Amino acid sequence: MNIMPNRMDRGFLKYQKEFEDKSLEVLRSGWYILGKEVASFEEEFAEYTGAKYCVGLASGLDALWIAFRLLNIGPGDEVLVQGNTYIASVMGVTMNGAIPIFIEPDEHFGMDVNKIEDKITNRTKAILITHLYGMASRMDRIVEICKRYNLRLVEDCAQSHGACFNDRMTGTFGDVGCFSFYPSKNLGAFGDAGAVVVNNEHLAKEFKIFRNYGSEKRYYNKVVGANSRLDELQAGLLRVRLSHMKELTEERLRLAERYSNEIHNEKLQIPTTIEGATSVWHQYVIRCDERNCLVEYLKEKGIGTLIHYPIPPHLAEAYRYLGHQKGFLPITEKLSDTVLSIPFYNGMTEEEQTYVINALNTF
Ligand SMILES: *Cc1c(COP(=O)(O)O)cnc(C)c1O
C-alpha cells in the first residue's frame, strides 16, 4: 500500500459538488475582490472563533507581519517566540525590524511558560504564541504574564483552527489571532489565504485599511499599506469548508484517538495535550530517537512522512545574522532531530490507518 503524508484531494472530494457550485457562482458573479463572499466569510469566521471581528488577508504570513506593524512593534523591540515554530512566525517579527527572542518548548510542543519571565527585558514588547500541530498552548499562564508585564499578545493560529484552552478558542486570548488558510491547513483554501481575528473595532478597521494599500476611501491613502486582500473565490470556498468544520475536526479527533490508542512501541513517543487544552490535530507528531532509520523503514513500506521542522528558525541561514549557534536551544534542536509527522488527513480510511499502525508497531 502507498500512503502519502497528506491527501488534500480527499478533503475536496468529500464536498466536491458544493465547492464546484460555489466556484461557478463566484466566477459568474462578475465581482472578484472584496465583495460579499469576503464580507460573509469574515462574519462567519469571527462567529466561529468567538471574536468580534475578522479581517480576511492574503496569507498567514501577512496576518503575522501586519499584526506586529499595526501594534507598533519595530526596530529595537523584542518579541518572545518559541524556538520550535514554523519560520513564518519569526518572519512576521523580523519583517518589522523587531528581534525574536527564542524560548524553549515544553513537553507538549508549546512555549514553556516557566522559561518566559527570565527573558523579559525593558525592550520586550510582545509574546507570539504558536499553537503548534493544532494543540492549544497554556493560555492561562501566558495571558497572566502578558498582563503583569504589559506585553502585547499575538497568537499564530495557522495550525489551530478550532482548538481551545479552557473552552475558549485560540486566537481570541490576546490582541490579534493570526490564521492561515493555506491548502494543507485544517481550514484550507484552494490557494493562498489568511485572516486575523480581533476584538478591538479600531484595530479591525486598521487591518482593513492596511490590506488595501492603506486606503479607506478609494484613492485616498492614509498610510503606506500592502496589497493583502483575501479574494472572493477563496472566501467563497472557505465558507463551504467552514460550514463543515465541526465534522472535519471531529473526524481528526477520532483519527488521532485511534493512533494514540493503538500505537504501541517503546521506541516511539506519542503526543499528549496539556490539561485544559484541546488539539485539532493539524499534524500527528511522534518522536523517535532513531528517526532517520524509522523514516527509511516506513518509506520501504510505502508510507510517506514529513518532518515539522528539520531546521529550527534560529539555525536557518536566513537568521544567521542573529548570531545563534547550534547548542543555543538544546530542547528545540533535539525536537528537530526526533519529531516525525505520520500520515494524517481528513478522509483517511480505516484500512490506511491500520496499515500505518501495524508498520509502526513492528518497527
Ligand atoms: C502555515 C503557517 C504559517 C504561514 O502561513 P502562510 O499562509 O503559508 O503564509 C505561519 N505559521 C505557522 C505556524 C504555519 O503553520
Side-chain angles (χ1 to χ4, degrees):
M1 202 183 295
N2 242 313
I3 303 182
M4 300 202 296
N6 192 5
R7 291 289 299 263
M8 282 178 279
D9 54 335
R10 299 272 174 90
F12 164 68
L13 294 168
K14 200 165 164 146
Y15 310 109
Q16 182 172 359
K17 176 89 172 60
E18 287 175 67
F19 285 129
E20 289 177 355
D21 287 350
K22 180 56 87 175
S23 307
L24 284 178
E25 184 191 328
V26 176
L27 291 176
R28 287 167 179 167
S29 75
W31 193 270
Y32 308 113
I33 297 283
L34 297 184
K36 71 178 183 27
E37 294 295 337
V38 170
S40 300
F41 173 73
E42 288 173 340
E43 222 168 87
E44 289 158 11
F45 193 66
E47 193 190 325
Y48 173 78
T49 59
K52 284 206 184 109
Y53 307 97
C54 165
V55 180
L57 300 167
S59 74
L61 176 62
D62 281 2
L64 288 157
W65 78 261
I66 297 172
F68 287 109
R69 180 72 54 97
L70 295 180
L71 292 174
N72 271 318
I73 290 167
D77 295 336
E78 295 180 351
V79 178
L80 308 184
V81 190
Q82 71 212 56
N84 63 327
T85 187
Y86 180 51
I87 201 161
S89 320
V90 184
M91 288 185 179
V93 173
T94 59
M95 282 169 78
N96 289 295
I99 305 151
I101 303 295
F102 295 105
I103 312 275
E104 291 269 51
D106 62 18
E107 266 301 289
H108 312 277
F109 307 114
M111 187 184 282
D112 188 336
V113 293
N114 297 314
K115 295 187 175 151
I116 297 174
E117 281 171 284
D118 281 353
K119 302 284 179 177
I120 295 176
T121 70
N122 54 11
R123 289 178 301 276
T124 311
K125 291 287 151 52
I127 300 184
L128 171 59
I129 289 295
T130 304
H131 304 288
L132 200 70
Y133 310 145
M135 221 172 263
S137 301
R138 287 215 54 177
M139 296 315 290
D140 52 351
R141 289 286 307 280
I142 289 156
V143 166
E144 186 191 299
I145 293 168
C146 287
K147 284 209 176 108
R148 185 154 6 115
Y149 293 91
N150 193 24
L151 304 177
R152 301 297 203 154
L153 175 56
V154 177
E155 293 172 79
D156 183 339
C157 305
Q159 306 188 358
S160 71
H161 319 74
C164 291
F165 185 81
N166 287 345
D167 297 323
R168 187 156 154 195
M169 210 173 272
T170 52
T172 63
F173 287 88
D175 296 283
V176 186
C178 303
F179 289 84
S180 164
F181 308 119
Y182 182 78
S184 66
K185 309 293 189 191
N186 288 29
L187 175 57
F190 293 82
D192 278 305
V196 288
V197 298
V198 296
N199 283 323
N200 180 309
E201 186 181 2
H202 178 72
L203 189 54
K205 204 167 149 196
E206 282 195 295
F207 272 106
K208 286 195 175 174
I209 293 170
F210 199 92
R211 74 174 169 188
N212 196 22
Y213 304 115
S215 111
E216 189 171 12
K217 281 196 312 241
R218 187 178 275 197
Y219 306 130
Y220 173 80
N221 300 78
K222 238 175 117 161
V223 293
V224 179
N227 172 355
S228 182
R229 299 170 299 221
L230 173 62
D231 65 70
E232 285 287 283
L233 187 59
Q234 298 305 337
L237 295 170
L238 282 167
R239 290 180 68 202
V240 172
R241 186 108 65 185
L242 182 60
S243 73
H244 297 291
M245 266 314 261
K246 193 163 178 287
E247 71 222 42
L248 287 166
T249 301
E250 279 166 4
E251 182 186 26
R252 298 182 91 89
L253 296 185
R254 279 197 307 277
L255 290 166
E257 198 170 82
R258 176 152 187 238
Y259 269 152
S260 297
N261 288 334
E262 298 183 26
I263 296 171
H264 299 291
N265 185 329
E266 58 189 26
K267 287 187 170 151
L268 312 177
Q269 204 179 333
I270 61 167
T272 50
T273 45
I274 49 168
E275 207 184 312
T278 63
S279 177
V280 291
W281 302 103
H282 174 59
Q283 305 288 351
Y284 191 92
V285 178
I286 61 172
R287 277 176 277 175
C288 177
D289 286 334
E290 299 155 56
R291 184 195 56 202
N292 296 345
C293 218
L294 176 62
V295 169
E296 280 312 307
Y297 162 86
L298 291 172
K299 197 194 270 173
E300 272 167 33
K301 295 195 171 285
I303 299 171
T305 53
L306 292 168
I307 296 168
H308 298 99
Y309 298 91
I311 302 172
H314 71 285
L315 297 179
E317 192 182 341
Y319 287 122
R320 201 176 287 163
Y321 74 88
L322 293 171
H324 301 310
Q325 310 290 323
K326 204 168 163 71
F328 176 63
L329 297 173
I331 300 170
T332 297
E333 291 165 25
K334 169 96 183 176
L335 281 178
S336 67
D337 290 334
T338 54
V339 291
L340 188 67
S341 305
I342 59 176
F344 196 87
Y345 42 87
N346 284 111
M348 188 173 197
T349 66
E350 194 179 332
E351 196 190 4
E352 286 170 335
Q353 215 184 3
T354 303
Y355 185 76
V356 175
I357 291 166
N358 288 340
L360 288 170
N361 288 349
T362 50
F363 170 62

